[in-house]
Amino acid sequence: MYVAALIYVDDVIMVGNNDAKIHDVKRHLNNRFSIKDLGPLKYFLGIEVARTNEGLVLSQQKYMFDILKDSGQHGCRPNPSPMEQNLHLDEAIDSPPVDVAQYRRLIGRLLYLQVTCPDIAFAVNMLSQFLANPCKRHMDSAIRVLRYLKSTPGQGILLPKDGDLSLKDFCDADWSGCSFTRCSRTCYLIFLGEALVPWRTKKQSVVSRSSAEAEYRTMATTVSEILWLCWLLHDHEAAPVGPTPLYCDNNAARQIANNPVFHECTKHVEMDCYFIRERVESNEIEPLYIDTKHQVADICIKALGAERFRFLLGKIGVRDLHAPS
């Protein structure tokens, strides 16, 4: 028997595998705090929950329409992808400035929209670098994200009702992806069964001297997140069995993780090497190679063409509630 409560201020979600026990907990809470039972979960902190034949779809349609309306883009022309392919934004000092407060407000709202939209994670991460001094070129790119959102109003993350509780992870790095700091970008997507649970796109804090180094730093960040998830699942009596596969499309990084001998070229990432190898030797992590064309983390690490972008959307469990069946 299992019952858990997710609490944020005065909003509470109750989950469990025994309806009678859930009702008992609700009754106890009501006696102590006088709660209001709103029935089956439909809306929580701006996140809409829809039940389908496949499972639950989490989306933010109302919040998305509010962003479009407040930005004056409610009637804009839709776009099939959030960012132009292979676009690399820089400080663009030759472009006219824009309203800083307006730009910051828009990017801040898009950051929260990422809760159910991993497909805009790369674009928002890129645009967030220019909050201090945005210009028209940056605002135009942000408007393109809104035009993409206009084309996918009911899109969200699918949490399948079938599947096991095993973890599998995909990580990737965009070596020297930042055009003006030359820092690489880290990205990972972690699946619990077939459900995409956490994902992240973030610029690394140091400059990597090779693509293998950038990928290896990404692997270390991903392993930290995997360990935290494993501990969380263990607390909920659902710990995964066996090593967690970690898919990386860089053979050099994978071989460093499996090689017990340090070389001259790896001294500057020695702590990461020890950290990952320790987890490999304890059979918690298993680094595996995956071909770049099957690397789903690409969707959060670079600006893709529309065809490749739509292909990867289906792979990470993004569904459009209004798409024809």
Side-chain angles (χ1 to χ4, degrees):
M1 188 179 300
Y2 173 82
V3 177
L6 173 62
I7 304 173
Y8 184 86
V9 190
D10 59 350
D11 294 309
V12 183
I13 298 177
M14 299 290 301
V15 297
N17 57 6
N18 187 289
D19 289 341
K21 188 63 177 178
I22 292 176
H23 289 305
D24 288 343
V25 174
K26 287 181 179 179
R27 186 163 50 250
H28 176 72
L29 290 175
N30 186 57
N31 292 336
R32 296 291 301 273
F33 305 106
S34 183
I35 65 172
K36 183 178 181 181
D37 189 351
L38 299 178
L41 179 63
K42 295 181 180 179
Y43 195 81
F44 186 74
L45 301 180
I47 300 173
E48 301 163 44
V49 181
R51 287 169 171 79
T52 69
N53 293 331
E54 294 182 278
L56 300 179
V57 176
L58 309 183
S59 63
Q60 293 169 279
Q61 183 174 351
K62 182 181 181 301
Y63 184 70
M64 188 185 303
F65 281 137
D66 288 343
I67 297 175
L68 290 171
K69 183 178 179 180
D70 292 348
S71 303
Q73 299 296 322
H74 199 273
C76 66
R77 180 167 56 89
N79 204 291
S81 62
M83 184 166 277
E84 181 183 342
Q85 186 175 9
N86 299 323
L87 176 67
H88 292 280
L89 291 175
D90 54 25
E91 294 178 320
I93 56 177
D94 58 334
S95 184
V98 295
D99 187 331
V100 176
Q102 181 184 6
Y103 183 83
R104 290 175 179 174
R105 174 177 169 80
L106 175 56
I107 299 304
R109 302 186 77 176
L110 291 176
L111 283 169
Y112 185 62
L113 193 60
Q114 290 182 105
V115 172
T116 60
C117 296
D119 43 335
I120 66 171
F122 171 72
V124 176
N125 177 267
M126 179 80 76
L127 295 169
S128 297
Q129 300 176 90
F130 309 104
L131 293 176
N133 189 29
C135 66
K136 186 177 184 300
R137 191 177 302 173
H138 305 139
M139 180 61 82
D140 289 344
S141 295
I143 295 300
R144 182 185 173 108
V145 176
L146 297 181
R147 290 171 55 193
Y148 165 72
L149 295 175
K150 176 68 182 298
S151 69
T152 58
Q155 194 162 273
I157 286 290
L158 171 67
L159 303 180
K161 62 182 179 181
D162 299 320
D164 55 25
L165 294 178
S166 61
L167 290 172
K168 61 179 178 180
D169 318 283
F170 298 83
C171 67
D172 200 4
D174 181 18
W175 182 40
S176 297
C178 180
S179 58
F180 53 92
T181 65
R182 287 305 173 187
C183 287
S184 304
R185 191 169 279 104
T186 285
C187 169
Y188 61 73
L189 293 89
I190 302 179
F191 291 81
L192 179 61
E194 296 301 318
L196 178 59
V197 191
W199 59 88
R200 189 181 191 188
T201 299
K202 185 179 181 180
K203 190 164 68 173
Q204 296 179 3
S205 57
V206 296
V207 177
S208 296
R209 293 188 286 179
S210 68
S211 60
E213 180 183 340
E215 295 273 3
Y216 205 78
R217 293 187 190 279
T218 296
M219 288 178 68
T221 301
T222 308
V223 169
S224 297
E225 186 72 13
I226 293 170
L227 294 177
W228 179 83
L229 279 172
C230 288
W231 295 333
L232 181 64
L233 290 171
H234 184 271
D235 289 343
H236 289 76
E237 301 178 357
V241 178
T244 299
L246 176 58
Y247 294 100
C248 173
D249 60 6
N250 187 290
N251 256 325
R254 184 179 62 85
Q255 289 165 2
I256 293 172
N258 289 302
N259 184 2
V261 180
F262 284 102
H263 298 284
E264 187 72 24
C265 62
T266 63
K267 283 185 176 180
H268 49 290
V269 288
E270 187 169 335
M271 292 302 297
D272 285 338
C273 288
Y274 275 118
F275 174 65
I276 296 178
R277 285 178 189 163
E278 182 181 51
R279 301 304 172 178
V280 172
E281 292 172 0
S282 64
N283 208 35
E284 295 174 84
I285 302 296
E286 183 182 9
L288 299 172
Y289 176 75
I290 187 171
D291 193 273
T292 301
K293 65 182 179 181
H294 299 302
Q295 176 58 278
V296 297
D298 273 357
I299 198 169
C300 294
I301 204 69
K302 61 185 71 169
L304 303 171
E307 184 177 349
R308 170 79 173 160
F309 183 79
R310 299 305 302 181
F311 170 76
L312 292 180
L313 275 185
K315 294 295 185 181
I316 66 175
V318 172
R319 296 290 186 273
D320 191 342
L321 292 173
H322 303 306
S325 57

